[in-house]
């Protein structure tokens, strides 16, 4: 039998029981990370009240998690390849749950921050090792596309359930409960992994690239800190400028180091492959547009429409459910027809969804929900095929590294989207609101004070969670408060339309690049 026939036989061979349960076991690990961050985010106002925190303290509860995850992604990939993905996955799930329970039990703010940071690190390890386990379990490339689609569907259930469940638990029980709900799922993930998942690791004993790992931690840590604290500290403040310089220097040094070393932590030579390069670009900008839109849509629901966190979560739920439905569809199409078709279809939906939101956000909530539903469906059509493309570009023994690169694009893209799109809305409000309120508040000093308060309450931090319900406006004339809020809401919506419009142009540019440059590899 020739090589082609052997490959075809392998591709058509039925999945084993272990392969099927590996998808579930790995998906449940990512489920708890997605579910935990969203279910906890909804409880943040109650956590803020319990610890008597200002906005900065509240922000760091989320920032600790995000920075821990950002800096650990690629080091986790190296460790997974060398010491075993199953072993690392099991360890990370246990550590994640211990940290979650600690966060739920503690009454000390410092302990809470440490627990959140450990959760972030464990989340990075779970994400990378779970993806690598699925990749290693399905060495046939076409089968891997379908497996990744099903894996994403299992994980995305956590994304769908997080906001509404977090709101319900916070309102009827306590914010502490939200940190405990993942324990049964984690126990199930551990049990399934021990029973069905085989160990896999890199066959060759590579030298650990410690300088590359250190440069990665510095570079990604500096970027994450800058975009998280840039608004509060001021984009032109010395500490933010120094942080951006550290990011730029670290990035150049990291690239030079990884290109010169014989055993790189992140093999940048993979980006010489056009398909690999375009796939990672699609991941970065997909998360940039969708999660940036999520930030301002959440603000819109809670600050403009004055919906509760539970109501806002339920309005976002259709988008998350679309991800659960379309992820396996994307994997199925990629396995049969190649990754180009679902990736292009998903990118078209991103463009259309953003356009619907730009036009409809000022008209109705239904249009906003529809637009965001299209974004959820579009992103779920993009991610499984381009993830499969990235993982198919490297040998199975380096699945951890490939998974780490993919996870890095997801993390950096979503963080950049939060920061840039949120900042655009804030800048728009700060520039336009003074003129919009000129008739309502003729006095310049009085108007400036009101504008400053509203701009601060816009709060475009790099997380969709740090948005409370509509903030009260401090003004002595109660009759004017309603008028001021109406004007401010219109200004915010226009800023939202401008930000979403720019995101739509970015998505359209990516679509044009994919149409012109993305071709299916011959070996799928």
């Amino acid at each position: 039998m020739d090589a082609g026939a052997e490959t075809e036989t392998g591709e058509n061979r039925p999945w084993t029981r272990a392969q099927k349960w590996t998808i579930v076991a790995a998906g449940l690990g990512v489920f708890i990370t997605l579910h935990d961050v969203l279910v906890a985010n909804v409880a943040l106002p109650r956590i803020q009240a319990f610890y008597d925190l200002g906005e900065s303290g509240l922000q760091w509860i989320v920032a600790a998690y995000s920075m821990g995850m950002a800096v650990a992604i690629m080091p986790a990939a190296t460790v997974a390849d060398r010491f075993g993905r199953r072993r690392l996955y099991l360890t990370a799930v246990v550590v994640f749950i211990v940290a979650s329970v600690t966060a739920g039990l503690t009454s000390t703010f410092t302990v809470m921050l440490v627990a959140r940071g450990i959760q972030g690190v464990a989340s990075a390890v779970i994400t990378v090792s779970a993806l690598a386990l699925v990749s290693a379990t399905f060495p046939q490339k076409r089968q891997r596309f379908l497996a990744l689609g099903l894996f994403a569907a299992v994980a995305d259930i956590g994304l769908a359930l997080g906001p509404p469940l977090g709101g319900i638990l916070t309102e009827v029980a306590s914010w502490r409960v939200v940190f405990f709900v993942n324990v049964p799922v984690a126990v199930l993930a551990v049990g399934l992994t021990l029973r069905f998942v085989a160990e896999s690791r890199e066959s060759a004993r590579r030298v650990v690239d410690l300088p590359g790992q250190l440069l990665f931690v510095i570079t990604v840590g500096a970027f994450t800190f800058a975009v998280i604290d840039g608004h509060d500290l001021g984009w032109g403040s010395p500490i933010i400028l120094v942080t951006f310089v550290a990011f730029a220097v670290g990035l150049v040094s990291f690239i030079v180091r990884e290109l010169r070393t014989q055993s790189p932590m992140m093999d940048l030579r993979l980006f010489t492959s056009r398909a690999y390069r375009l796939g990672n670009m699609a991941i970065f900008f997909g998360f940039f547009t969708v999660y940036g839109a999520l930030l301002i849509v959440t603000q819109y629901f809670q600050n403009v429409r004055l919906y509760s966190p539970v109501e806002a979560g339920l309005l976002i739920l259709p988008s998350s459910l679309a991800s659960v439905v379309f992820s396996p569809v994307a994997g199925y199409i990629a396995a049969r027809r190649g990754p180009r078709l679902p990736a292009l279809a998903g990118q078209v939906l991103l463009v259309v969804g953003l356009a619907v939101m730009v036009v409809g956000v000022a008209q109705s909530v239904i249009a906003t929900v529809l637009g965001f539903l299209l974004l959820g469906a579009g992103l779920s059509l993009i991610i499984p095929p381009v993830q499969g493309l990235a993982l198919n570009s490297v040998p199975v023994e380096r699945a951890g590294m490939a998974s780490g690169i993919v996870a890095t694009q997801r993390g950096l893209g979503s963080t950049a989207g939060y920061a840039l799109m949120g900042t655009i809305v804030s800048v728009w409000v700060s520039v336009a609101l003074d003129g919009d309120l000129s008739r309502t508040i003729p006095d310049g000093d009085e108007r400036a004070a009101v504008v400053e308060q509203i701009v601060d309450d816009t709060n475009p931090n790099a997380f969709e969670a740090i948005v409370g319900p509509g903030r009260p406006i401090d003004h002595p004339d109660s009759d004017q408060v309603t008028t001021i809020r109406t004007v401010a809401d219109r200004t915010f919506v226009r800023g939202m339309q401008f930000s979403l419009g720019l995101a739509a142009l970015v998505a359209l540019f990516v679509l044009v690049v994919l149409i012109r440059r993305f071709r299916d590899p011959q070996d799928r």
Side-chain angles (χ1 to χ4, degrees), residues 73-96:
I73 287 175
M74 284 308 302
T78 302
V79 174
D81 279 340
R82 180 165 184 178
F83 297 103
R85 295 143 194 157
R86 177 178 180 268
R87 176 186 301 174
L88 193 65
Y89 175 74
L90 287 169
T91 302
V93 171
V94 173
V95 170
F96 187 90

Side-chain angles (χ1 to χ4, degrees), residues 205-442:
R205 300 286 289 183
R206 294 176 182 264
V207 177
V208 177
D209 181 19
L210 291 178
Q213 293 187 353
L214 179 60
L215 286 170
F216 180 86
V217 169
I218 293 172
T219 302
V220 176
F223 173 81
T224 306
F225 175 83
V227 298
I228 289 172
D229 265 7
H231 176 258
D232 286 342
L233 299 179
W235 294 107
S237 65
I239 187 171
I240 294 299
L241 292 177
V242 169
T243 304
F244 273 122
V245 170
F247 163 68
V249 173
L251 180 61
V252 173
S253 301
F254 176 76
I255 292 173
V256 171
R257 164 69 191 182
E258 296 306 281
L259 290 175
R260 289 182 176 179
T261 183
Q262 295 298 313
S263 183
M265 176 190 71
M266 180 186 290
D267 190 353
L268 299 179
R269 296 174 184 85
L270 289 172
F271 288 91
T272 59
S273 164
R274 180 173 62 182
Y276 186 84
R277 188 168 61 248
L278 291 174
N280 277 277
M281 180 195 70
I283 293 173
F284 178 90
F285 284 108
F287 277 85
F288 174 91
T289 53
V290 173
Y291 279 76
L294 176 61
L295 168 70
I296 56 180
V297 166
T298 307
Q299 287 183 301
Y300 169 74
F301 285 155
Q302 295 191 33
N303 285 352
V304 176
R305 293 290 182 171
L306 302 183
Y307 293 131
S308 70
V310 175
E311 291 169 329
L314 290 173
L315 289 171
I316 295 172
L317 181 61
S319 173
S320 302
L321 293 177
S323 299
V324 176
V325 172
F326 280 93
S327 290
V329 172
Y332 179 84
I333 296 173
R336 297 297 185 272
R337 301 284 301 276
R340 185 176 188 268
L341 178 59
L344 289 180
Q347 194 65 37
V348 169
L349 289 182
L350 293 191
V351 175
V352 174
L354 289 165
V356 168
M357 294 171 75
V358 170
V359 175
V361 67
Q363 308 302 322
S364 72
V365 170
I366 294 176
T368 308
V369 172
L370 174 61
F372 204 69
L373 187 151
L374 293 174
L375 294 189
L379 189 63
S380 64
L381 284 174
I382 293 171
I383 298 305
V386 296
Q387 276 188 164
L389 188 66
L391 293 170
N392 288 347
S393 301
V394 300
V396 172
E397 60 266 19
R398 299 237 68 191
M401 182 198 67
S403 302
I405 293 174
V406 169
T408 299
Q409 304 307 315
R410 296 169 64 118
L412 294 180
S414 57
T415 302
Y418 288 144
L420 182 58
M421 293 182 66
T423 299
I424 288 173
V425 175
S426 177
V427 170
W428 179 279
V429 172
S430 65
V431 171
L433 187 58
D434 185 81
D436 292 345
L437 284 173
S438 59
R439 291 185 179 181
T440 305
I441 310 177

